[in-house]
Amino acid sequence: MHIAEAQQLIQRLSAMINRLIIAILVAAGLISLGLLLSVWHPDWLLAWLGPLMGLGVVLLLLTSFLLAWRVLRGR
Protein backbone atom coordinates (compact mmCIF):
# COMPACT_ATOMS: atom_id res chain seq x y z
CA MET A 1 0.00 0.00 0.00
CA HIS A 2 1.36 3.40 -0.97
CA ILE A 3 0.14 6.64 0.55
CA ALA A 4 0.72 9.61 -1.73
CA GLU A 5 1.59 12.20 0.91
CA ALA A 6 3.26 9.88 3.43
CA GLN A 7 6.72 11.41 3.06
CA GLN A 8 5.39 14.94 3.57
CA LEU A 9 3.41 13.82 6.61
CA ILE A 10 6.45 12.12 8.08
CA GLN A 11 8.57 15.27 7.59
CA ARG A 12 5.93 17.48 9.27
CA LEU A 13 5.63 15.03 12.16
CA SER A 14 9.40 14.92 12.55
CA ALA A 15 9.59 18.73 12.66
CA MET A 16 6.83 18.86 15.29
CA ILE A 17 8.62 16.29 17.44
CA ASN A 18 11.89 18.23 17.16
CA ARG A 19 10.16 21.44 18.31
CA LEU A 20 8.53 19.57 21.18
CA ILE A 21 11.88 18.19 22.30
CA ILE A 22 13.44 21.67 22.20
CA ALA A 23 10.54 23.10 24.22
CA ILE A 24 10.82 20.34 26.83
CA LEU A 25 14.58 20.83 27.14
CA VAL A 26 14.22 24.61 27.52
CA ALA A 27 11.51 24.19 30.16
CA ALA A 28 13.51 21.57 32.05
CA GLY A 29 16.61 23.76 31.99
CA LEU A 30 14.75 26.78 33.31
CA ILE A 31 13.06 24.80 36.06
CA SER A 32 16.33 23.20 37.15
CA LEU A 33 18.10 26.56 37.07
CA GLY A 34 15.38 28.09 39.22
CA LEU A 35 15.56 25.24 41.72
CA LEU A 36 19.34 25.40 41.85
CA LEU A 37 19.35 29.14 42.44
CA SER A 38 16.72 28.85 45.17
CA VAL A 39 18.87 26.36 47.09
CA TRP A 40 22.42 27.48 46.25
CA HIS A 41 23.09 31.19 46.16
CA PRO A 42 26.65 32.19 47.05
CA ASP A 43 27.50 35.80 47.87
CA TRP A 44 29.31 36.50 44.61
CA LEU A 45 26.25 35.36 42.69
CA LEU A 46 23.87 37.75 44.43
CA ALA A 47 25.37 40.73 42.60
CA TRP A 48 24.85 38.98 39.24
CA LEU A 49 21.52 37.34 40.03
CA GLY A 50 19.31 40.16 38.74
CA PRO A 51 20.98 40.45 35.32
CA LEU A 52 21.21 36.65 35.01
CA MET A 53 17.53 36.22 35.74
CA GLY A 54 16.68 39.02 33.30
CA LEU A 55 18.79 37.36 30.61
CA GLY A 56 17.08 34.04 31.33
CA VAL A 57 13.64 35.59 30.98
CA VAL A 58 14.63 37.27 27.71
CA LEU A 59 16.00 34.00 26.32
CA LEU A 60 12.86 32.16 27.43
CA LEU A 61 10.63 34.71 25.71
CA LEU A 62 12.68 34.64 22.49
CA THR A 63 12.63 30.85 22.40
CA SER A 64 8.91 30.75 23.13
CA PHE A 65 8.11 33.28 20.41
CA LEU A 66 10.30 31.41 17.92
CA LEU A 67 8.57 28.11 18.69
CA ALA A 68 5.11 29.70 18.51
CA TRP A 69 5.97 31.42 15.21
CA ARG A 70 7.18 28.18 13.69
CA VAL A 71 4.09 26.30 14.87
CA LEU A 72 1.71 28.97 13.57
CA ARG A 73 3.61 29.17 10.30
CA GLY A 74 3.07 25.45 9.85
CA ARG A 75 6.59 24.18 9.64
Side-chain angles (χ1 to χ4, degrees):
M1 178 178 256
H2 178 68
I3 300 174
E5 289 119 10
Q7 189 64 27
Q8 182 184 9
L9 182 62
I10 290 171
Q11 287 175 346
R12 288 187 67 204
L13 188 59
S14 177
M16 287 183 352
I17 290 172
N18 287 340
R19 285 192 299 269
L20 180 63
I21 289 171
I22 290 170
I24 290 172
L25 288 175
V26 168
L30 289 172
I31 290 171
S32 62
L33 178 63
L35 288 173
L36 179 66
L37 289 176
S38 70
V39 174
W40 178 73
H41 47 276
D43 293 334
W44 61 268
L45 185 63
L46 292 178
W48 291 94
L49 194 56
L52 285 177
M53 293 304 261
L55 180 63
V57 168
V58 168
L59 289 175
L60 171 66
L61 289 174
L62 287 175
T63 306
S64 300
F65 285 136
L66 177 65
L67 287 172
W69 180 64
R70 290 181 76 179
V71 166
L72 292 175
R73 198 175 74 175
R75 286 183 135 190

Coordinates of all heavy atoms in Angstrom, one line a residue:
M1 N 0.8 -1.2 0.0 CA 0.0 0.0 0.0 C 0.9 1.2 0.0 O 1.9 1.3 0.8 CB -0.9 0.0 1.2 CG -1.8 1.2 1.4 SD -2.8 1.1 2.8 CE -4.3 0.6 2.0
H2 N 0.6 2.2 -0.8 CA 1.4 3.4 -1.0 C 0.5 4.6 -0.7 O -0.5 4.8 -1.4 CB 2.0 3.5 -2.4 CG 2.8 4.7 -2.6 ND1 4.0 4.9 -2.0 CD2 2.5 5.8 -3.4 CE1 4.4 6.1 -2.4 NE2 3.6 6.6 -3.2
I3 N 0.9 5.4 0.2 CA 0.1 6.6 0.6 C 0.9 7.8 -0.1 O 2.1 8.0 0.0 CB 0.0 6.9 2.1 CG1 -0.7 5.7 2.7 CG2 -0.6 8.2 2.4 CD1 -0.7 5.7 4.2
A4 N 0.1 8.6 -0.9 CA 0.7 9.6 -1.7 C 1.5 10.7 -0.9 O 2.6 11.1 -1.3 CB -0.4 10.3 -2.6
E5 N 0.9 11.1 0.2 CA 1.6 12.2 0.9 C 2.3 11.7 2.2 O 2.4 12.4 3.1 CB 0.6 13.3 1.3 CG 0.1 14.1 0.1 CD -1.4 13.9 -0.1 OE1 -2.0 13.4 0.8 OE2 -1.9 14.4 -1.1
A6 N 2.7 10.4 2.2 CA 3.3 9.9 3.4 C 4.6 10.6 3.8 O 4.8 10.9 4.9 CB 3.5 8.4 3.3
Q7 N 5.4 10.8 2.8 CA 6.7 11.4 3.1 C 6.6 12.8 3.6 O 7.2 13.2 4.6 CB 7.6 11.4 1.8 CG 9.0 11.9 2.0 CD 9.7 10.9 2.9 OE1 9.4 9.7 3.0 NE2 10.7 11.4 3.6
Q8 N 5.6 13.6 3.1 CA 5.4 14.9 3.6 C 4.8 14.9 5.0 O 5.2 15.7 5.8 CB 4.4 15.7 2.6 CG 4.2 17.1 3.1 CD 3.1 17.8 2.2 OE1 2.5 17.1 1.4 NE2 3.0 19.1 2.4
L9 N 4.0 14.0 5.3 CA 3.4 13.8 6.6 C 4.5 13.4 7.6 O 4.5 14.0 8.7 CB 2.3 12.8 6.6 CG 1.6 12.5 7.9 CD1 0.8 13.8 8.3 CD2 0.6 11.4 7.7
I10 N 5.4 12.5 7.2 CA 6.5 12.1 8.1 C 7.4 13.3 8.4 O 7.8 13.5 9.5 CB 7.2 10.9 7.5 CG1 6.3 9.7 7.5 CG2 8.5 10.7 8.2 CD1 6.9 8.5 6.7
Q11 N 7.7 14.1 7.4 CA 8.6 15.3 7.6 C 7.9 16.3 8.5 O 8.6 16.8 9.4 CB 8.9 15.9 6.3 CG 9.8 15.1 5.4 CD 10.0 15.8 4.0 OE1 9.3 16.7 3.6 NE2 11.1 15.3 3.3
R12 N 6.6 16.5 8.4 CA 5.9 17.5 9.3 C 5.9 16.9 10.7 O 6.1 17.7 11.7 CB 4.5 17.7 8.8 CG 4.5 18.6 7.5 CD 3.1 19.0 7.1 NE 2.6 19.9 8.2 CZ 1.3 20.0 8.4 NH1 0.4 19.4 7.7 NH2 0.9 20.9 9.3
L13 N 5.7 15.6 10.8 CA 5.6 15.0 12.2 C 7.0 15.1 12.8 O 7.1 15.4 14.0 CB 5.1 13.6 12.0 CG 4.9 12.8 13.3 CD1 3.8 13.6 14.2 CD2 4.4 11.4 13.0
S14 N 8.0 14.8 12.0 CA 9.4 14.9 12.6 C 9.7 16.3 13.0 O 10.4 16.5 14.1 CB 10.4 14.5 11.5 OG 11.7 14.6 11.9
A15 N 9.3 17.3 12.3 CA 9.6 18.7 12.7 C 8.8 19.1 13.9 O 9.4 19.8 14.8 CB 9.2 19.7 11.5
M16 N 7.6 18.6 14.1 CA 6.8 18.9 15.3 C 7.5 18.2 16.5 O 7.5 18.8 17.6 CB 5.4 18.4 15.1 CG 4.6 19.2 14.2 SD 2.8 18.8 14.0 CE 2.6 17.2 14.8
I17 N 8.0 17.0 16.3 CA 8.6 16.3 17.4 C 9.9 17.0 17.8 O 10.2 17.2 19.0 CB 8.9 14.8 17.1 CG1 7.5 14.1 17.0 CG2 9.8 14.2 18.0 CD1 7.6 12.7 16.4
N18 N 10.7 17.5 16.9 CA 11.9 18.2 17.2 C 11.6 19.5 17.9 O 12.3 19.8 18.9 CB 12.6 18.6 15.9 CG 13.3 17.4 15.3 OD1 13.5 16.4 15.9 ND2 13.6 17.4 14.0
R19 N 10.5 20.2 17.6 CA 10.2 21.4 18.3 C 9.7 21.1 19.7 O 10.0 21.8 20.7 CB 9.1 22.2 17.6 CG 9.6 22.9 16.4 CD 8.6 23.9 15.8 NE 7.4 23.3 15.4 CZ 7.2 22.9 14.1 NH1 8.1 23.0 13.2 NH2 6.0 22.3 13.8
L20 N 9.0 20.0 19.9 CA 8.5 19.6 21.2 C 9.7 19.2 22.1 O 9.7 19.6 23.3 CB 7.6 18.4 21.0 CG 7.0 17.8 22.3 CD1 6.2 18.9 23.1 CD2 6.2 16.6 22.1
I21 N 10.7 18.5 21.5 CA 11.9 18.2 22.3 C 12.6 19.4 22.7 O 13.1 19.5 23.9 CB 12.8 17.3 21.5 CG1 12.1 15.9 21.3 CG2 14.2 17.1 22.1 CD1 12.8 15.0 20.4
I22 N 12.8 20.4 21.8 CA 13.4 21.7 22.2 C 12.7 22.4 23.3 O 13.3 22.9 24.3 CB 13.6 22.6 21.0 CG1 14.6 22.0 20.0 CG2 14.0 24.0 21.4 CD1 14.7 22.6 18.7
A23 N 11.4 22.4 23.2 CA 10.5 23.1 24.2 C 10.7 22.4 25.6 O 10.8 23.1 26.6 CB 9.1 23.1 23.8
I24 N 10.7 21.1 25.6 CA 10.8 20.3 26.8 C 12.2 20.6 27.4 O 12.3 20.8 28.7 CB 10.6 18.8 26.6 CG1 9.1 18.6 26.3 CG2 11.0 18.0 27.8 CD1 8.7 17.2 25.9
L25 N 13.2 20.6 26.6 CA 14.6 20.8 27.1 C 14.7 22.2 27.7 O 15.4 22.4 28.7 CB 15.6 20.6 26.1 CG 15.8 19.1 25.7 CD1 16.8 19.0 24.5 CD2 16.4 18.3 26.8
V26 N 14.2 23.2 27.0 CA 14.2 24.6 27.5 C 13.5 24.7 28.8 O 14.0 25.3 29.8 CB 13.7 25.6 26.5 CG1 13.4 27.0 27.1 CG2 14.6 25.7 25.3
A27 N 12.3 24.1 28.9 CA 11.5 24.2 30.2 C 12.2 23.5 31.3 O 12.3 24.0 32.4 CB 10.1 23.6 29.9
A28 N 12.8 22.3 31.0 CA 13.5 21.6 32.1 C 14.7 22.3 32.5 O 15.1 22.4 33.7 CB 13.9 20.2 31.5
G29 N 15.4 23.0 31.6 CA 16.6 23.8 32.0 C 16.2 24.9 32.9 O 16.9 25.2 33.8
L30 N 15.2 25.6 32.5 CA 14.8 26.8 33.3 C 14.3 26.4 34.7 O 14.6 27.0 35.7 CB 13.7 27.6 32.6 CG 14.2 28.3 31.4 CD1 13.0 28.9 30.6 CD2 15.1 29.4 31.8
I31 N 13.5 25.3 34.8 CA 13.1 24.8 36.1 C 14.2 24.4 36.9 O 14.3 24.7 38.1 CB 12.1 23.7 35.9 CG1 10.8 24.2 35.3 CG2 11.8 22.9 37.2 CD1 9.8 23.1 34.9
S32 N 15.2 23.6 36.4 CA 16.3 23.2 37.2 C 17.2 24.4 37.6 O 17.7 24.4 38.7 CB 17.1 22.2 36.4 OG 17.7 22.7 35.2
L33 N 17.3 25.4 36.7 CA 18.1 26.6 37.1 C 17.4 27.3 38.2 O 18.1 27.8 39.1 CB 18.3 27.5 35.9 CG 19.0 28.8 36.1 CD1 20.5 28.5 36.5 CD2 19.0 29.7 34.9
G34 N 16.1 27.4 38.1 CA 15.4 28.1 39.2 C 15.5 27.3 40.5 O 15.7 28.0 41.6
L35 N 15.4 26.0 40.5 CA 15.6 25.2 41.7 C 17.0 25.3 42.3 O 17.2 25.5 43.5 CB 15.2 23.8 41.4 CG 13.7 23.5 41.2 CD1 13.5 22.0 40.8 CD2 13.0 23.8 42.5
L36 N 17.9 25.3 41.4 CA 19.3 25.4 41.8 C 19.6 26.8 42.5 O 20.2 26.8 43.6 CB 20.3 25.2 40.7 CG 21.8 25.3 41.0 CD1 22.2 24.2 41.9 CD2 22.6 25.2 39.7
L37 N 19.1 27.8 41.9 CA 19.4 29.1 42.4 C 18.6 29.4 43.7 O 19.0 30.2 44.5 CB 19.0 30.2 41.4 CG 20.0 30.3 40.2 CD1 19.5 31.4 39.2 CD2 21.4 30.7 40.7
S38 N 17.5 28.7 43.9 CA 16.7 28.8 45.2 C 17.4 28.1 46.3 O 17.3 28.5 47.5 CB 15.3 28.3 45.0 OG 15.3 26.9 44.9
V39 N 18.2 27.1 46.0 CA 18.9 26.4 47.1 C 20.3 26.9 47.3 O 20.8 27.1 48.4 CB 18.9 24.8 46.7 CG1 19.7 24.1 47.7 CG2 17.5 24.3 46.7
W40 N 21.0 27.1 46.2 CA 22.4 27.5 46.3 C 22.6 28.9 45.7 O 22.4 29.1 44.5 CB 23.2 26.5 45.4 CG 24.7 26.8 45.3 CD1 25.6 26.6 46.3 CD2 25.4 27.3 44.2 NE1 26.8 27.0 45.9 CE2 26.7 27.4 44.6 CE3 25.0 27.7 42.9 CZ2 27.7 27.9 43.7 CZ3 26.0 28.2 42.1 CH2 27.3 28.3 42.5
H41 N 22.9 29.8 46.6 CA 23.1 31.2 46.2 C 24.3 31.8 46.9 O 24.1 32.4 48.0 CB 21.8 32.0 46.3 CG 21.1 31.9 47.6 ND1 20.3 30.8 47.9 CD2 21.2 32.6 48.8 CE1 19.8 30.9 49.1 NE2 20.4 32.0 49.7
P42 N 25.5 31.6 46.4 CA 26.7 32.2 47.1 C 26.6 33.7 47.0 O 25.9 34.3 46.2 CB 27.8 31.6 46.3 CG 27.3 31.3 45.0 CD 25.8 30.9 45.2
D43 N 27.5 34.3 47.8 CA 27.5 35.8 47.9 C 27.9 36.5 46.6 O 27.4 37.5 46.2 CB 28.5 36.2 49.0 CG 28.0 35.9 50.4 OD1 26.7 35.7 50.5 OD2 28.8 35.7 51.3
W44 N 28.9 35.9 45.9 CA 29.3 36.5 44.6 C 28.2 36.4 43.5 O 28.2 37.3 42.6 CB 30.6 35.8 44.1 CG 30.4 34.4 43.8 CD1 30.7 33.3 44.6 CD2 30.0 33.8 42.5 NE1 30.4 32.1 44.0 CE2 30.0 32.4 42.7 CE3 29.6 34.3 41.3 CZ2 29.6 31.5 41.7 CZ3 29.2 33.4 40.3 CH2 29.2 32.1 40.5
L45 N 27.3 35.5 43.7 CA 26.2 35.4 42.7 C 25.1 36.4 42.9 O 24.4 36.7 42.0 CB 25.7 33.9 42.7 CG 24.6 33.6 41.7 CD1 25.2 33.7 40.3 CD2 24.1 32.2 41.9
L46 N 25.0 36.8 44.1 CA 23.9 37.8 44.4 C 24.0 39.0 43.6 O 23.0 39.6 43.2 CB 23.8 38.0 45.9 CG 23.4 36.9 46.8 CD1 23.4 37.3 48.3 CD2 22.0 36.3 46.4
A47 N 25.2 39.5 43.4 CA 25.4 40.7 42.6 C 25.0 40.5 41.1 O 24.5 41.4 40.5 CB 26.8 41.2 42.7
W48 N 25.1 39.3 40.6 CA 24.9 39.0 39.2 C 23.5 38.4 39.0 O 23.1 38.1 37.9 CB 25.9 38.0 38.7 CG 27.2 38.6 38.6 CD1 28.2 38.6 39.5 CD2 27.7 39.4 37.5 NE1 29.3 39.3 39.0 CE2 29.0 39.8 37.8 CE3 27.2 39.8 36.3 CZ2 29.8 40.6 36.9 CZ3 27.9 40.5 35.4 CH2 29.2 40.9 35.8
L49 N 22.8 38.1 40.1 CA 21.5 37.3 40.0 C 20.5 38.1 39.2 O 19.8 37.5 38.4 CB 21.0 37.0 41.4 CG 19.9 36.0 41.5 CD1 20.3 34.7 40.9 CD2 19.6 35.7 43.0
G50 N 20.3 39.4 39.5 CA 19.3 40.2 38.7 C 19.5 40.1 37.2 O 18.6 39.8 36.5
P51 N 20.7 40.5 36.8 CA 21.0 40.5 35.3 C 20.9 39.0 34.7 O 20.4 38.9 33.6 CB 22.4 41.0 35.2 CG 22.6 41.8 36.4 CD 21.8 41.2 37.5
L52 N 21.3 38.0 35.5 CA 21.2 36.7 35.0 C 19.8 36.2 34.9 O 19.4 35.6 33.9 CB 21.9 35.7 36.0 CG 23.5 35.7 35.9 CD1 24.0 34.7 36.9 CD2 23.9 35.3 34.5
M53 N 18.9 36.6 35.8 CA 17.5 36.2 35.7 C 16.9 37.0 34.6 O 16.0 36.4 33.9 CB 16.8 36.5 37.1 CG 17.3 35.6 38.2 SD 17.1 33.9 37.8 CE 15.6 33.5 38.6
G54 N 17.2 38.2 34.4 CA 16.7 39.0 33.3 C 17.1 38.4 32.0 O 16.2 38.3 31.1
L55 N 18.3 38.0 31.8 CA 18.8 37.4 30.6 C 18.1 36.0 30.4 O 17.7 35.7 29.3 CB 20.3 37.1 30.7 CG 20.9 36.4 29.5 CD1 20.8 37.3 28.2 CD2 22.4 36.1 29.8
G56 N 17.8 35.3 31.4 CA 17.1 34.0 31.3 C 15.7 34.3 30.9 O 15.1 33.5 30.0
V57 N 15.0 35.3 31.4 CA 13.6 35.6 31.0 C 13.6 36.0 29.5 O 12.7 35.6 28.7 CB 13.0 36.7 31.9 CG1 11.7 37.2 31.3 CG2 12.8 36.1 33.3
V58 N 14.6 36.8 29.1 CA 14.6 37.3 27.7 C 14.9 36.1 26.8 O 14.2 35.9 25.7 CB 15.7 38.3 27.5 CG1 16.0 38.6 26.0 CG2 15.3 39.6 28.2
L59 N 15.8 35.2 27.1 CA 16.0 34.0 26.3 C 14.8 33.1 26.3 O 14.4 32.5 25.2 CB 17.2 33.2 26.8 CG 18.6 33.9 26.6 CD1 19.7 33.1 27.3 CD2 18.8 34.0 25.2
L60 N 14.1 33.0 27.4 CA 12.9 32.2 27.4 C 11.8 32.8 26.5 O 11.2 32.0 25.7 CB 12.3 32.1 28.9 CG 10.9 31.4 29.0 CD1 11.0 30.0 28.6 CD2 10.4 31.6 30.4
L61 N 11.6 34.1 26.6 CA 10.6 34.7 25.7 C 11.0 34.6 24.2 O 10.1 34.3 23.4 CB 10.5 36.2 26.1 CG 9.8 36.4 27.4 CD1 9.8 37.9 27.8 CD2 8.4 35.9 27.4
L62 N 12.3 34.8 23.9 CA 12.7 34.6 22.5 C 12.5 33.2 22.0 O 11.9 33.0 20.9 CB 14.1 35.0 22.3 CG 14.5 36.5 22.4 CD1 16.0 36.7 22.4 CD2 13.8 37.3 21.3
T63 N 12.8 32.2 22.8 CA 12.6 30.9 22.4 C 11.2 30.5 22.3 O 10.7 29.8 21.3 CB 13.3 29.9 23.4 OG1 14.7 30.3 23.6 CG2 13.2 28.5 23.0
S64 N 10.3 31.0 23.2 CA 8.9 30.8 23.1 C 8.3 31.4 21.9 O 7.5 30.8 21.2 CB 8.2 31.3 24.4 OG 8.7 30.7 25.5
F65 N 8.6 32.6 21.6 CA 8.1 33.3 20.4 C 8.6 32.6 19.1 O 7.8 32.4 18.2 CB 8.5 34.8 20.4 CG 7.7 35.6 21.3 CD1 8.4 36.6 22.1 CD2 6.4 35.5 21.4 CE1 7.7 37.4 23.0 CE2 5.6 36.3 22.3 CZ 6.3 37.2 23.1
L66 N 9.8 32.1 19.1 CA 10.3 31.4 17.9 C 9.5 30.1 17.7 O 9.1 29.8 16.6 CB 11.8 31.1 18.1 CG 12.4 30.3 17.0 CD1 12.4 31.1 15.7 CD2 13.8 29.9 17.3
L67 N 9.3 29.4 18.8 CA 8.6 28.1 18.7 C 7.1 28.4 18.3 O 6.6 27.7 17.4 CB 8.6 27.3 20.0 CG 9.9 26.7 20.4 CD1 9.9 26.1 21.8 CD2 10.3 25.6 19.4
A68 N 6.5 29.4 18.9 CA 5.1 29.7 18.5 C 5.0 30.1 17.1 O 4.1 29.8 16.3 CB 4.6 30.8 19.4
W69 N 6.0 30.9 16.6 CA 6.0 31.4 15.2 C 6.1 30.3 14.2 O 5.4 30.2 13.2 CB 7.1 32.4 15.0 CG 7.2 33.0 13.6 CD1 6.3 33.8 13.0 CD2 8.3 32.8 12.7 NE1 6.7 34.1 11.7 CE2 7.9 33.5 11.6 CE3 9.5 32.1 12.8 CZ2 8.8 33.5 10.5 CZ3 10.3 32.1 11.7 CH2 10.0 32.8 10.6
R70 N 7.0 29.3 14.6 CA 7.2 28.2 13.7 C 6.0 27.3 13.7 O 5.6 26.7 12.6 CB 8.4 27.4 14.1 CG 9.7 28.2 13.8 CD 10.9 27.4 14.2 NE 11.1 26.4 13.2 CZ 12.1 25.5 13.2 NH1 13.0 25.6 14.2 NH2 12.3 24.6 12.3
V71 N 5.3 27.1 14.8 CA 4.1 26.3 14.9 C 3.0 27.0 14.1 O 2.3 26.3 13.3 CB 3.7 26.0 16.3 CG1 2.3 25.5 16.4 CG2 4.6 25.1 17.0
L72 N 2.8 28.3 14.3 CA 1.7 29.0 13.6 C 2.0 29.1 12.1 O 1.0 29.1 11.3 CB 1.5 30.4 14.2 CG 0.9 30.4 15.6 CD1 0.9 31.8 16.1 CD2 -0.4 29.8 15.6
R73 N 3.2 29.1 11.7 CA 3.6 29.2 10.3 C 3.4 27.8 9.6 O 3.3 27.8 8.4 CB 5.1 29.6 10.2 CG 5.4 30.1 8.8 CD 6.8 30.7 8.8 NE 7.7 29.5 8.8 CZ 9.0 29.6 8.7 NH1 9.6 30.8 8.6 NH2 9.8 28.6 8.7
G74 N 3.4 26.8 10.4 CA 3.1 25.4 9.8 C 4.3 24.7 9.4 O 4.2 23.8 8.6
R75 N 5.4 24.9 10.0 CA 6.6 24.2 9.6 C 7.0 23.3 10.7 O 7.0 23.5 11.8 CB 7.7 25.1 9.3 CG 7.5 25.8 8.0 CD 8.7 26.6 7.7 NE 9.1 26.3 6.3 CZ 10.2 26.8 5.8 NH1 11.0 27.5 6.5 NH2 10.5 26.5 4.5

